[in-house]
Amino acid sequence: HVLTNRRYSPCISDLKCVLNVAGMARHFAALPMDESPGTYCALDDWISTLTVAQMMDGQMWRSWAQGHVETEPKGWVGAFNASISLGSLFERLLLWEDTDPTPIGIGCATPVRLLSCVELTHYTLTTGVHRWQRLVMLSYRPSPPPSPGSPVQVHSLCPASLPFSTVAVAHGSPLAMAALPLAQTKTWSFHLPLHRFVSTCIREVCRRGGGNLGDSGGIEDLLKKFHIEDIQSKDGMSKLRLNALLFRGLMEFPTIVLSRAAQIRAGLWKRNGPGMQDQVLNYSEPPFCRSLQDADLVMIQFSLLCHTVEVDESYLSKKTNDETNKSMSGLAFQRAGTLRFVNLLLHRFGVFDFLGFRKAPDTDVERYRREINEGLYPAEINSSSEKHGSPGIPNLPWTSSPAKDVTTLLVVVEELLHLVIILITEMPTPPPRDKQAHAMEAKRRLRREVVHRLASGSKTHSELAEVHHVLPQRDNHILSEEGKLINPDDASGAALEEVLEEVGCKKPSHGKLSPELWELQKWAWKEYDPAFHHISTRAHQTVAECRPKDSSGSSTPYAPPPSPAHSSFKRLRRDLTADSSILAVTYRLLHVHCCIVDSPKPVTNLQGKSMYEHGAKSETALARAVHILTLGAFTWEEDIQDSIEKTGNSSWRIHGGGDLGSVFFDRSNENRSAPTVRDWVDKALLRNPQEVMNDDWYRGEENALLLLSRLSKNEGSFSAQDYSLRLGAAWLCDFA
């Protein structure tokens, strides 16, 4: 009844009224001076409230044997209303600066210590998020492996660890990794308000201080709080355990939501009723996506940054029989963030086998047993005794997929690559130097939203005004201030009108009663991003049909360069575009669509042969592959030598692209050995396909550059209908 009848609304409204009082939000971010038990603390109560709302309205997948739900539950409406109401408070609670004083001074009944934004974020992470994650993780239990003749369906089973691919192992990874034992039928939820409040805090931390990598303040100070001075001390070991479990949960829980939302869009949850689609629309599209899906994306990006926190690896890598060392070795996370995340995506989306990856534990059982004994990851449950380990051949980790047909699997691949593209493109921006710089950045974000709304079709002024819902609250405030100088009578609409005059033009009206429509000017189409996440997939499909063709016929990038990123987050672009598994996926898609084989090879022993056997084709999946390679070209074209010299660090790896799983993982650590754009082209476009896929079946096949050339000329087995895709493939060839 609390959710259905919105009994919480008066509390939310009252809190908004309180926060409208100048300085109250600043006082809220504080801890009492008196730390004795029972002392009232508003911040702790807020964290507790968000904890209660975690994973409300759980969802459970209906398997193929269950059929369609007869009575569709409506409780999700109340849960989303509660999540949205809570999310509307997040930015209000952070509308203060670290130097602001509290409005309640000497007369305060409970003296408090004001927290900086970094301290607030760290406190919420280590007290609220960590405690919740640790408790919930205990509810996840692995199961015995699937066995022939067993009445238990594979989608109800889950391994204790997830296998890496042989591609990842060839680039420095172990054979498997510890992960939440998550069956397809495990209950999950769209709602993680505690995580999303932290994401809002992280956005705010990025806005403050630390304009350059290595500067004090901002995100760098937050990451330093997780640094361990003496890992061999009792306190150091305890902190390492906390860090490892915290970072793992920050990556895993948002990934579960994003992967399940992708499955729903791919049609794998139809038996749960059409309400699932409505939930995904609320989660991932405007106007509510900023406090839901966008917050989850920021959390994953932050979790990847956390995996760069320095750890004394020499201690973790000691091979002794000491039980403490064994338990600690599995917590090593440094340089493994992107490696773990990409592998997590492949399994959570259920496309590991389909994309042609071979499970590494199957190829080296002795090493698998050795790594279990070293504590790198847990052993699988023995189906007969229900105990870990066995004297014979150990059970090996496995993977599964809820999809049964190739067409659906290709749609899931599209969703996976789309997520990777968004993570590369949409990042926290550099902190503004002053108010004028902030206004310029706010106008840039507004312009980008308007361009993509107009690209999907003509819009009225009122339809375009909705873009303010996905802009930060601080942006809307400063745009209103700027608007007062232009039009005091319509301050909020003045900035929008200014952007429309730049990128749009009024469409001739069809009658006096017809609303005035705006359309995108032809030159502004160069700013259109085919994977922009604030318009729907259907809108992007509409764009592909009406996008004007370049009459010159010259090659142009398939997507524009990504927006400027915060210096701490920028490294993730190099990490993701140099990841060996992601590059293997892009090659596989290019090969499936563009190869020409005079005498076709037998695919009997090829992993993921269904992609070749059934003639599976998807122009969207192919476009996603080209998009990722285009982003890689933009990323690696930027010279980092100046940044290396400016920070004074002896290693180029702090700028990304050299961690475990990267195609440059074994490159020398010295500055003069930093990979160049030429090196990236060699690894991403010119590399031997047999090495890219770590599979002898690809011996003698054409490399990615030759396949891109075929695509640009429509000479392969697949003819691309999107003219911009062919031009984008040609641009990559010219770039190489």
Side-chain angles (χ1 to χ4, degrees), residues 459-466 490 492-494 496-497 500 515-518:
K459 298 286 187 296
T460 63
H461 194 284
S462 57
E463 288 176 318
L464 291 168
E466 296 176 1
D490 185 16
S492 60
L496 175 60
E497 194 73 29
L500 280 172
E516 191 176 69
L517 295 174
W518 290 83

Side-chain angles (χ1 to χ4, degrees), residues 454-473:
L454 292 178
S456 60
S458 302
K459 298 286 187 296
T460 63
H461 194 284
S462 57
E463 288 176 318
L464 291 168
E466 296 176 1
V467 300
H468 289 286
H469 294 301
V470 294
L471 294 178
Q473 198 162 342

Side-chain angles (χ1 to χ4, degrees), residues 384-448:
S384 58
S385 63
E386 295 296 314
K387 293 180 179 179
H388 292 281
S390 64
I393 298 176
N395 287 320
L396 301 176
W398 70 94
T399 187
S400 61
S401 174
K404 284 186 169 183
D405 61 281
V406 174
T407 303
T408 304
L409 283 165
L410 270 175
V411 177
V412 178
V413 171
E414 294 170 9
E415 292 286 343
L416 186 153
L417 294 182
H418 189 209
L419 174 57
V420 173
I421 290 168
I422 294 172
L423 289 170
I424 295 172
T425 307
E426 309 299 329
M427 290 187 174
T429 55
R433 298 183 304 276
D434 49 37
K435 189 174 181 179
Q436 184 180 4
H438 184 189
M440 291 179 64
E441 180 61 28
K443 289 178 181 177
R444 184 196 65 78
R445 279 192 280 263
L446 175 62
R447 174 189 175 115
R448 191 159 177 252

Side-chain angles (χ1 to χ4, degrees), residues 95-131:
L95 287 176
W96 45 267
E97 300 295 338
D98 291 348
T99 54
D100 291 349
T102 174
I104 306 176
I106 300 174
C108 183
T110 307
V112 297
R113 176 176 67 86
L114 297 180
L115 301 177
S116 68
C117 196
V118 167
E119 291 171 333
L120 171 64
T121 308
H122 184 259
Y123 182 81
T124 311
L125 279 169
T126 53
T127 58
V129 174
H130 174 64
R131 289 175 184 173

Side-chain angles (χ1 to χ4, degrees), residues 548-581:
K549 293 185 178 180
D550 186 353
S551 57
S552 66
S554 59
S555 64
T556 55
Y558 179 66
S563 303
H566 191 286
S567 57
S568 296
F569 285 81
K570 185 186 281 188
R571 64 159 294 157
L572 301 182
R573 289 177 174 165
R574 299 173 76 89
D575 286 331
L576 289 167
T577 55
D579 183 79
S580 56
S581 296

